[in-house]
Structures are given as structure tokens and as C-alpha cells.
Amino acid sequence: MMSEPVYITGIGCVLPGATGHAELRTLLGLPDSQVDRAPPDCTSPLAAIGEFDSSRWVRPIKARRMNRIGLLATVAAHLALESAGIPDDGHLPETTGIALGTGLGCTRSIDEFFRQTLVDGPDLANPAIFSTSIPNAIASQVAMRLSIRGPNVTVSQREVSGEIALLLGMDWIRSGRAERVLVGGADEFSNFLPQHLAGLGQVAASGEPSCPFDQRSTGAAVGEGVTFLLLEGSGGKERRRARVTAGAMLGTPVPGETVDRSGTALRACIEDCRAESQASPGLVVCGASGDRDLDLAHARALRDFPGGEPPLITAPKGMFGESISSGVLAAAVGVIALTEAVAPGLPDLQDAIPECHGMNLPRAPTEDLELSSVLIAGIASGGAAAAIVLES
Amino acid sequence: MGAVSGFGLGVKALCAGLRSGASAIGPIRSFNADPYRVKVMAEAPPCSDLPEATTRCDALAVWAAREALHSAGLGGDQVPGERTAVLIGSSAGGTTAVERLRREQILGEHTPDFRNLRGCTLSSPGDSVALDLGLSGPRMAVSTACSSSAVSIAIAADLIRSGRAEVAVAGGVEAASESLFSGFHSLMALDPELCRPFDSRRRGLVLGEGAAVVVLESESRARKRGRTPLAFLTGYGLCCDHHHITAPEPTGREAARTMHLALRDAGITAAGIDHVDAHGTATPAGDVAEIRGIQTVFADHLDQVTVSGVKGAIGHTLGAAGGFGILASILQLEEGVVFPTANLEEVDPECRAPHVLLMARDTRPVRILSNAFSLGGNNISTVLQAPDDE
């Protein structure tokens, strides 16, 4: 059953500071973070997209029925198709699907609809806002705007939502359920989000340092963004950028929103991946965020990395903040490292936690990389973990 | 199988209720319905033996998962924890945990304590199930609105086929939630009295709450440990109707495409299906589109199938609805009957099909096609088959 190879042929994104593959590539080579440590009107450090003009990609008459996260996702999906050389002409075969990961779904629409219900009363609450507030509304809006008729599934598993979506898309192609899958990760900043994440003890207070694996860090920065990858089977020969050769997802039973600080599930995922692909990744793109528990768990899973030379380890959340479903962004970073020889550093890292001893954590971007494989690795609060191997 | 529904705790209560044609719909108790025009729902009973700290949504899911695993003979240390996947889907997950905080924040009644956010995410029910049952295999919360649990079950079957898991605990849950209720209220999609699928007097859906969970494993694994499977999931069709965020594609073309995909995946034609477990939400547009799809798929065989659905009985349980459809299908295969559609008395001329009215019929179905269509058009049909037909 699992015979069809899986290739990544396109990258599209709308992120703080970068719209599209080329801008993302440029940003990854710069020594700067997109995080504003003390933003106005936000209780946490923040990396935000801000106002976004989608009119170049989505006609305003169509956009008026969509919410912000649906628009961002539609633009990112369009850009992924474009980067794979596939025209967005409404004629994609029905074997094209969407697998989308989201941590919290359409939080702005949820907030607005519930506010209207409570303040204005149930009879004045806007049904158009409700209908775009359900988590699968993001992928459904993409499907409607781009006429994508194949399997369409939204998954959520906290900080590994994006990785799980990628594994689902990979399995669909391997098993023949789809020939092409747009795999996305989408989460947006809302007024509720910083308080929500702060309540879970996961984000730093405004003005406080926030950096993956740094001792001084008191939590993650809040982030937002959408990244899409196009996965294809035996098609898309001209644009093959990387091959997805192995993937695993597991979980540790832990209470509530806690993190399994031992990193056991991720370590087991990495072992499963090694058994499947035999690759020795030269780069690990991981989900460490600046949250102490998540950082400890990642460090414990990734130190003493099996194989020879310790790989470079980086964490895009240091540059873009915690956008929850950023596993797809991590995979995009991995593809760019394989194809364009650049990997981002951890620009704000000053004093690594002791558990990182022996780990290769560059502060500056690394250029001229010669990689044959990259590992994407993530751990979520609640116990889930996932790992994926990309090869050139 | 495991279930908590408006009929009570357990699959036995669900089966008795569905078989009798009764309806579990009653006055809303979970929140103050005074501001709303509609005041009915099919709420599930408390799951009082679960830890207090667990949210309502998590409690429903854990109760159903415990029953499912126990009834599969995999209770205690019988389950291979490291090789068992957990896929519990929902529309909103633990939103009820967030609702109170949002209310306090928006109305300024109290200073919200954001530290009290346990169980507030979409993945929380699955995480709680994994914790309660000690399961450390793959974990995934599917959220495709009303098809979430059916999609979870279908993906779980694929995880077993692909070798990612040996056993899967899969299904869905939805707890009564004021924000979801107010959403459907704003869409004017709620019937103020009863849920009457396919009936000419239908005015919309009635929300329900509950959890529906199944345990999946390969046939060889089940037989090796001396168990006869309750049913086989022989195929599914999963696609997106890409038509409108709330309205179904009206000609039934997309509903038919979903069913055709499922039949193809199962390697059968429409002639091989004995009964259709309809999505049947009782919305004026949804029921007509689904019946048109059924008419297209079954064409010359239409008089050889029967059609019924569970939502007249237990309401529309949103993220759990597709799971309840699959549970009902398995029960019908097991019991050798087809259940009636509760509250269906005067069939809408536009919904003409061989409906099952008033009482269960002894027809010994062998294969059932179960539909779960969703807001956003993330549709799925599954084919369930009785084990004797192998």
C-alpha cells in the first residue's frame, strides 16, 4: 500500500515579514527576528502579520465573504501552487486534496461572534461570522476559492498540528487517496490568544526575553502565519524540491496541558524515522519556542543525536514566534535548507539551557550548507510528538 | 463500541432508543436559553464517575472510549498502549472551557482567570482519552465540523492498514455549547420543537451532545485473540463539495460523488448496499440535496435499499454525528434490523426514498452506506459490512 513516493514541489506562505517562497528564503538568511519584544497593545512579545492586502490574489468581491485567516490561507495556498508551476485556473483534478493543521482555528471570528451574541443579543449576531468561525472553515475557504475537490481534512494537535497535517498528506499520496495535497499550517493572532497562551504558562510577558533554548527566556513570543506546501506523487517532476521519506507520530499520556519534558515520544518518533529512511540528517528544524518545558523536551529528545556529527539544530519559532501550527513552516525551512543551502539561526540566543550541552545551535544563519537530509521534529503540550525526514 | 447520547450512558441505551423510534430531545439544561427563540436540545446525562477537573467534552469522550475498549475485550492491560492510536474528532472541542472566560472578559463581570484553561483545545478530548487509557500511539484530533468523527474513524482505519498503529480508538465528541448553539441559532437553522428529517414539516436541526467511539483493528489481529469483528469498514469516500460554507450543493451531485467514491473504495456497486444511514439533518436544503444524491447513486436500485438516520432521535451531535451514524450502522448490521427515522411521519415529496418509518424493520442488512456531510463541505461516506458476508 505504501509505495508511491512523495515529493514537495511548492512552497507558499504569509508570515510576519515574508509573503511567498522568495521572501521567506531572503528572511532566513538574515540575522534578525520578526519578534517585537514589547509591542503596543499586546501583553506578550509578538510577531504579527498586521494588515494584509490580499487583493492581488483574491478578488475583493470574493474576499468580502471570507475571514482574515481564510484569506491568508488562500493566498498561501495559491502561492504554493504557483511555486510548483501549477496554474490556479480552477481546473485542478479531483485527486487534489487539502490537509490543514491548526492549533486554535478561526479565533478572531469566534471572539467576534461570541461578543456579538453576548453584547448585541442572539438575534443580532452575524451568521456569516459564525459560519467562518469553525476550524475547518479555513481549509474550506481555500477549497472554494481554488476549486479543490479532493479530500479536505483539518487536524489539530496543539503545537504539532502542522506536522500531523504533513503526515496525513504524505499518507494520502502513498496510499493513492490523492495525487496532490496542499498541506498547510494556519493560526492567527487575536486579542484572546496572548491571554490564552499566557494562561497556559507558555508565553513570555511583554518586554521579557523570549528565545528557544535560552536560559533567560520566560516563554514563547506569540506568532501567527500560514504556510502551505504542495505534496505530489509521481507527478510534478520538474519542480521536485525534496522527497518526504519517513514520518512518525506518537504520544505520551501526560495530564492536561503539560509537556512530557523527557522528550520520550519524539525520541521514539526519530528512531522510527531512522528505521524507515536510514538518513542521517545534517539539520534538525524543531518546535522549541522559548517555553521552558517545550525547550527542555526538545533538548532531551535531540541531544546525543544518533549517528555521527551532531546536526545543526534550529527553531523557526525564534524568528516567527509561536504560531502553534508552524510545523509546516518548519518543513518549508527544511526544504529551503536542502535546495538553497541556507538555514536560519537563533538570533536572540545568548545563554543556552544546560540540557543543550553538545548541541549545535548557531545564532547566525548558516549559508552554503551541503545537506542530503533534514529532520523536522516537534513536541506538543498534551503529549503528542511527530518527526518527518526530508531528503534531497 | 462506546457511546454517551441523549438516550443515556452506553451503547445499549443508544441501541434501544434508536430501535424504538423514540426522541431524546428536551428542554436545554446546560445553559440559560432564555435569550433564544429555540429552547430544545438532546443533551446527554452526566458522566459522574469521572474526575471533577475534566471538562464536559473530555468526560464524554473518556466515558465512551472506556466503554469501547472494554467491549472490545481490550480493557486493562490487554491493549497494546504503544501501538494504539487515538483519534477523537469534534467541531469545537473544549470550547465550553473557554466560553466562561470569554463571557467574563467580554461582559467584564469578573476578571477572567486564564490559568484555568485546562481542556480548552480541539485536541483535549483525545489527549484525555490517551491519558485515561494509557495510550501512546499516534494521536490526531480531526475537526471537519459535522463529519469529524466519521473522518477520524476512516483515517484510523488507514493508520492500521499502513502499519502506523495496531489498534485505534476513534470517533468523536461534542458537548453542549452556547457558542455553537448561538451560531446555528443565528443561521436560523434550528427547529424550535423537534428534529424531523425528510418530513414535509421539518424546520431545521436540533442540536445534541454526546460521544461515539469505536475500536478498530485488523481482522487477523481480532481473530487471533479470539474475537469476531462486529463489522468491517470496507471503504470510504472523502471529498470537498467546494460549493458554499453552509449550504450543500443543491443538485445532490457532490453528495453522490462522495457516495460513489466510497463504493469504489469498497470495491462494490450501489447494488451491493442494503441500507443508507443518511446524514439527514432536517434542514430544508440539506435533506433534499442528500436524497437527490441517493437517487443518483442508487438509480434503478433505489427500491432495493432503505434509508433512515439518527438525528431525529439524538439530535445533531456535530463532531460526534458521523460517529453515531457509524455506530448505528454497526448496530443495525449486528441486530439484523434497520432503525426508523424518529419523528418522520409525512415524507416530503422532494425527499422521496424508501424511508423507514415509525418502527424498526427486520431486513438483515449486510452492507450499509453511512453519510456524514459537513459545514464547509468536508464530506465523507463509509461502507460498513457485516462479518458474515466475508
Side-chain angles (χ1 to χ4, degrees), chain A residues 1-191:
Chain A
M1 179 182 175
M2 298 296 218
S3 55
E4 185 73 3
V6 182
Y7 299 97
I8 294 173
T9 59
I11 297 173
C13 61
V14 181
L15 297 163
T19 299
H21 180 169
E23 289 184 17
L24 176 60
R25 180 337 182 171
T26 303
L27 213 55
L28 297 180
L30 299 176
D32 307 313
S33 163
Q34 296 300 303
V35 175
D36 180 347
R37 191 184 277 192
D41 305 322
C42 183
T43 53
S44 303
L46 174 67
I49 295 166
E51 291 298 313
F52 181 76
D53 180 6
S54 62
S55 59
R56 204 175 122 199
W57 299 278
V58 183
R59 285 165 42 213
I61 196 166
K62 300 283 185 191
R64 72 199 168 103
R65 292 179 184 274
M66 300 172 71
N67 62 5
R68 178 174 178 270
I69 187 74
L71 273 170
L72 299 179
T74 300
V75 172
H78 171 97
L79 291 169
L81 289 172
E82 187 177 82
S83 103
I86 295 171
D88 169 16
D89 57 5
H91 292 104
L92 289 166
E94 68 176 2
T95 49
T96 304
I98 299 176
L100 185 107
T102 181
L104 294 171
C106 307
T107 54
R108 286 193 184 197
S109 297
I110 296 169
D111 285 353
E112 177 57 15
F113 183 77
F114 204 48
R115 191 198 63 73
Q116 288 183 358
T117 300
L118 294 177
V119 175
D120 304 330
D123 289 333
L124 294 179
N126 184 345
I129 297 177
F130 170 70
S131 59
T132 54
S133 72
I134 50 176
N136 62 316
I138 304 169
S140 295
Q141 289 173 87
V142 174
M144 284 191 292
R145 289 287 78 80
L146 303 181
S147 296
I148 295 174
R149 296 172 289 160
N152 188 313
V153 171
T154 297
V155 294
S156 184
Q157 199 60 49
R158 305 184 202 243
E159 292 91 342
V160 293
S161 301
E163 289 88 339
I164 301 292
L166 182 49
L167 288 165
L168 183 60
M170 172 188 178
D171 283 356
W172 282 348
I173 290 177
R174 280 182 165 185
S175 65
R177 292 209 179 273
E179 290 176 2
R180 280 181 187 148
V181 184
L182 274 163
V183 170
D187 273 291
E188 67 177 336
F189 170 71
S190 71
N191 290 333

Side-chain angles (χ1 to χ4, degrees), chain A residues 2 94 111 113 123 130-131 135-136 140 149-150 154-158 171 177 192 195 199 247 251-252 257 382, chain B residues 37 98 102 105 114 118-119 121 123 127 136-137 139 141 143 158 162 164 182 236 240 242 257 265 375-376 378:
Chain A
M2 298 296 218
E94 68 176 2
D111 285 353
F113 183 77
D123 289 333
F130 170 70
S131 59
N136 62 316
S140 295
R149 296 172 289 160
T154 297
V155 294
S156 184
Q157 199 60 49
R158 305 184 202 243
D171 283 356
R177 292 209 179 273
F192 189 71
Q195 292 157 316
T252 309
E257 274 63 34
Chain B
R37 283 171 279 109
V98 182
R102 282 200 167 108
Q105 187 184 32
F114 285 92
R118 189 174 169 203
T121 60
S123 49
D127 290 341
S136 50
R139 211 181 298 169
S143 189
D158 281 350
S162 68
R164 288 202 189 280
S182 64
Y236 71 88
C240 183
H242 72 290
R257 183 164 70 95
D265 195 42
L375 285 180
N378 304 158

Side-chain angles (χ1 to χ4, degrees), chain A residues 286-374:
Chain A
C286 77
S289 67
D291 168 66
R292 178 55 63 91
D293 288 346
L294 269 181
D295 289 2
L296 272 175
H298 280 91
R300 285 173 176 152
L302 297 172
R303 71 183 176 192
D304 308 324
F305 198 81
E309 280 287 295
L312 287 177
I313 295 177
T314 192
K317 289 176 186 175
M319 183 175 270
F320 296 103
E322 173 63 89
S323 65
I324 310 182
S325 60
S326 56
V328 184
L329 168 61
V333 169
V335 174
I336 290 171
L338 283 169
T339 55
E340 297 170 68
V342 61
L346 292 163
D348 293 325
L349 181 63
Q350 288 186 15
D351 187 7
I353 55 176
E355 285 76 7
C356 291
H357 180 73
M359 286 166 59
N360 191 350
L361 294 167
R363 286 183 60 196
T366 310
E367 303 269 4
D368 302 324
L369 283 165
E370 288 183 22
L371 297 170
S372 58
S373 65
V374 171

